[in-house]
């Protein structure tokens, strides 16, 4: 979704279909399909898997995923050694799985990506805590 925004799509104009599309494989949602076109906010809030995969109606998904990987590199998120978006034999697998989070990332990497998404595509580098104060032990934990 973030890369759609980075590519110039307006968040208020993006509507993603929450349901299967004839002739195309579509993952099931947790729960049932709404069979409606949802905004990015609604799709995320309701964890709609079909919407994530149905970005293929708006753009070429593999190119979009490659752009995501380029953006991750700019955000210092390391490449996933198990991911090969250029392998044509894995095209359908990647179209179905990549938007659903099949990429290996640390929790900080995921937080960084969501930060950009929730800021409508604007990247602001996160500053994780190096230590914290534990009031029960009256000490700083590193």
């Amino acid at each position: 979704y973030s890369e759609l925004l980075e590519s110039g799509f307006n968040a208020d104009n993006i509507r993603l279909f929450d349901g299967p599309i004839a002739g195309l494989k579509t993952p099931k949602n947790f729960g049932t399909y709404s069979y409606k076109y949802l905004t990015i906010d609604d799709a995320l809030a309701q964890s709609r898997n079909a919407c994530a995969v149905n970005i293929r109606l708006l753009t070429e998904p593999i190119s979009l995923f490659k752009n995501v990987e380029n953006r991750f590199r700019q955000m210092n998120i390391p490449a996933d050694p198990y991911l090969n978006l250029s392998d044509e034999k894995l095209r359908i697998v990647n179209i179905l799985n990549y938007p659903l989070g099949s990429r290996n990332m640390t929790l900080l990497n995921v937080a960084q990506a969501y930060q950009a998404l929730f800021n409508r595509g604007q990247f602001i580098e996160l500053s994780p805590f190096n230590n914290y104060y534990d009031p029960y032990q009256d000490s700083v934990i590193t």
Side-chain angles (χ1 to χ4, degrees), residues 15-126:
R15 298 289 185 268
L16 302 163
F17 186 64
D18 178 33
I21 298 171
L24 298 176
K25 292 183 180 183
T26 305
K28 294 187 178 188
N29 288 331
F30 180 75
T32 60
Y33 299 120
S34 70
Y35 295 96
K36 296 178 183 176
Y37 285 85
L38 303 178
T39 64
I40 289 176
D41 292 339
D42 289 337
L44 282 171
Q46 299 171 30
S47 190
R48 298 297 183 155
N49 294 336
C51 291
V53 170
N54 286 337
I55 60 168
R56 59 191 163 186
L57 299 179
L58 299 176
T59 189
E60 203 313 290
I62 298 298
S63 294
L64 184 79
F65 305 156
K66 287 179 179 179
N67 289 343
V68 170
E69 290 300 312
N70 288 335
R71 189 82 55 199
F72 283 168
R73 274 192 288 287
Q74 293 171 1
M75 294 165 52
N76 297 321
I77 297 173
D80 182 341
Y82 303 104
L83 182 64
N84 184 352
L85 294 172
S86 297
D87 188 341
E88 277 300 312
K89 292 180 277 186
L90 298 174
R91 181 176 172 75
I92 296 301
V93 170
N94 286 328
I95 287 173
L96 294 174
N97 291 323
Y98 189 88
L100 302 180
S102 64
R103 187 188 191 284
N104 292 315
M105 296 172 74
T106 67
L107 290 176
L108 181 61
N109 296 153
V110 172
Q112 185 68 75
Y114 270 101
Q115 175 281 137
L117 175 62
F118 291 133
N119 285 300
R120 295 293 192 232
Q122 182 182 0
F123 168 68
I124 301 168
E125 189 166 1
L126 295 176

